[in-house]
């Protein structure tokens, strides 16, 4: 199999690093060659050169040379890119898109109704191999195409097959949430500074607390528990934690979180239209 990347920014390179870093992925998919296209003034990192990745001069060249093509371009550029590859379109190729807000029908409109399409939504944690990725398959994609897509994205984290109508919500709770979590962490650390900690010290403490909390949450979910039961364990009667929780709710914490998800979903719809 020959794998191509049209667009090769932060997310595209993170996905490819995951593939190259896991020898089993390359072996399982029998990847013989990997091609990328990117801006002419940007050369490939030595890491990719050492792994035999070839940079080609145009998007259409990458498309022609590849069996599976990952479209890793910005949403606003996708229509231009598809216009380029339309000239050399081949119905037997698998098209995987990570362009936010651009659905299966967008590809069908620009390429062909029967095109083999899988839409993916990884998040920024792909850069450390801990992405949470949503996958949606078009009607033209066969089970083998879905299997290939799943193997690719499991190289950078976990995979969830969802209905396309859920993609906007997934983008909010998995794609946008890292930035929201970082804002929460930064605010918590600033409060820690008020209480005498250095900022970097507070951030380290909070990061470690979040890591443990995340692992505890996933374990609890596997055992049939939920976040509420974990909260109850931390909250002592008339204690500090419940006092802080009540104050957060008085200040509109849960409402603000829900509003953020609604706003993100609204923007996703705007992008898709």
């Amino acid at each position: 199999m020959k794998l191509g990347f049209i667009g090769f920014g932060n997310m595209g390179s993170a996905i490819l690093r995951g593939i190259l870093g896991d020898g089993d992925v390359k072996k399982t998919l029998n990847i013989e060659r990997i091609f990328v296209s990117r801006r002419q003034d940007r050369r490939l990192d030595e890491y990719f050169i050492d792994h035999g990745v070839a940079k080609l001069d145009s998007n259409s060249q990458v498309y022609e040379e590849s069996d599976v093509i990952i479209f890793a371009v910005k949403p606003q550029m996708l229509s231009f890119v598809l216009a380029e590859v339309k000239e050399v379109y081949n119905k037997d190729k698998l098209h995987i898109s990570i362009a936010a807000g651009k659905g299966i029908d967008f590809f069908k409109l620009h390429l062909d109704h029967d095109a083999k399409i899988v839409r993916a939504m990884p998040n920024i944690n792909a850069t450390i191999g801990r992405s949470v990725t949503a996958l949606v398959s078009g009607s033209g994609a066969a089970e083998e195409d879905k299997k290939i897509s799943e193997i690719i994205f499991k190289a950078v984290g976990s995979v969830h097959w969802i209905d396309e109508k859920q993609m906007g919500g997934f983008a909010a709770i998995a794609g946008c949430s890292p930035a929201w979590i970082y804002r929460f962490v930064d605010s918590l650390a600033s409060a820690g500074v008020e209480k005498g900690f250095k900022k970097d010290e507070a951030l380290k403490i909070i990061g470690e607390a979040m890591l443990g909390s995340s692992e505890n949450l996933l374990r609890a979910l596997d055992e049939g528990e939920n976040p509420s039961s974990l909260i109850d364990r931390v909250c002592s009667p008339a204690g500090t934690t419940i006092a802080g929780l009540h104050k957060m709710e008085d200040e509109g914490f849960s409402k603000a979180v829900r509003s953020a998800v609604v706003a993100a979903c609204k923007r996703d719809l705007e992008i898709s239209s």
Side-chain angles (χ1 to χ4, degrees):
M1 186 186 88
K2 296 176 183 177
L3 178 64
F5 284 78
I6 293 181
F8 198 63
N10 293 333
M11 188 59 72
S13 60
I15 294 168
L16 184 50
R17 281 182 185 275
I19 292 170
L20 295 175
D22 187 336
D24 288 341
V25 172
K26 196 172 180 182
K27 183 177 179 180
T28 300
L29 293 179
N30 193 25
I31 298 176
E32 302 169 6
R33 297 293 307 278
I34 299 173
F35 305 102
V36 304
S37 66
R38 70 187 325 190
R39 289 192 311 231
Q40 295 295 321
D41 60 338
R42 297 180 63 192
R43 70 187 300 273
L44 285 177
D45 294 343
E46 292 296 331
Y47 175 84
F48 297 116
I49 295 174
D50 290 344
H51 280 81
V53 178
K55 177 180 175 292
L56 301 183
D57 292 333
S58 69
N59 296 329
S60 56
Q61 238 186 318
V62 170
Y63 186 90
E64 285 189 285
E65 293 289 341
S66 307
D67 304 305
V68 177
I69 303 96
I70 297 178
F71 292 82
V73 297
K74 299 293 185 183
Q76 61 270 26
M77 295 302 298
L78 189 57
S79 59
F80 300 103
V81 169
L82 293 180
E84 287 182 71
V85 303
K86 174 67 173 178
E87 301 300 319
V88 289
Y89 168 73
N90 185 324
K91 65 180 179 63
D92 294 326
K93 296 179 184 291
L94 172 58
H95 310 78
I96 301 175
S97 172
I98 65 171
K102 300 301 183 183
I104 302 293
D105 286 345
F106 188 86
F107 269 78
K108 290 182 176 181
L109 177 66
H110 286 79
L111 292 180
D112 179 64
H113 182 77
D114 295 323
K116 300 199 295 184
I117 307 157
V118 171
R119 183 181 174 192
M121 177 64 68
N123 74 4
I124 189 62
N125 294 328
T127 56
I128 59 168
R130 295 299 297 269
S131 175
V132 182
T133 302
L135 293 177
V136 175
S137 62
S139 57
E143 284 302 313
E144 181 64 19
D145 301 317
K146 293 173 65 175
K147 181 180 178 181
I148 289 171
S149 303
E150 185 168 319
I151 291 171
I152 287 172
F153 286 96
K154 277 187 174 179
V156 291
S158 63
V159 167
H160 299 264
W161 287 97
I162 64 172
D163 190 281
E164 190 166 27
K165 66 184 179 183
Q166 298 174 297
M167 191 61 94
F170 185 92
I173 65 173
C176 303
S177 61
W180 303 340
I181 292 168
Y182 299 147
R183 175 57 61 87
F184 171 74
V185 168
D186 194 58
S187 297
L188 199 57
S190 294
V193 172
E194 290 183 13
K195 298 304 177 183
F197 290 93
K198 293 180 180 179
K199 184 69 175 289
D200 58 348
E201 182 183 19
L203 287 169
K204 181 72 171 178
I205 291 169
I206 296 164
E208 290 170 348
M210 287 188 65
L211 179 61
S213 298
S214 295
E215 292 176 352
N216 204 12
L217 172 63
L218 293 174
R219 177 201 56 77
L221 292 175
D222 287 340
E223 296 176 359
E225 294 189 74
N226 56 55
S228 294
S229 63
L230 295 178
I231 291 171
D232 290 342
R233 291 182 192 174
V234 184
C235 293
S236 302
T240 56
T241 306
I242 193 65
L245 279 174
H246 283 168
K247 187 61 177 177
M248 288 169 68
E249 292 306 314
D250 289 344
E251 297 292 335
F253 179 78
S254 294
K255 181 180 179 181
V257 171
R258 290 193 297 271
S259 295
V261 172
V262 170
C265 290
K266 179 182 178 182
R267 181 57 185 151
D268 183 77
L269 284 174
E270 291 170 352
I271 293 172
S272 65
S273 61

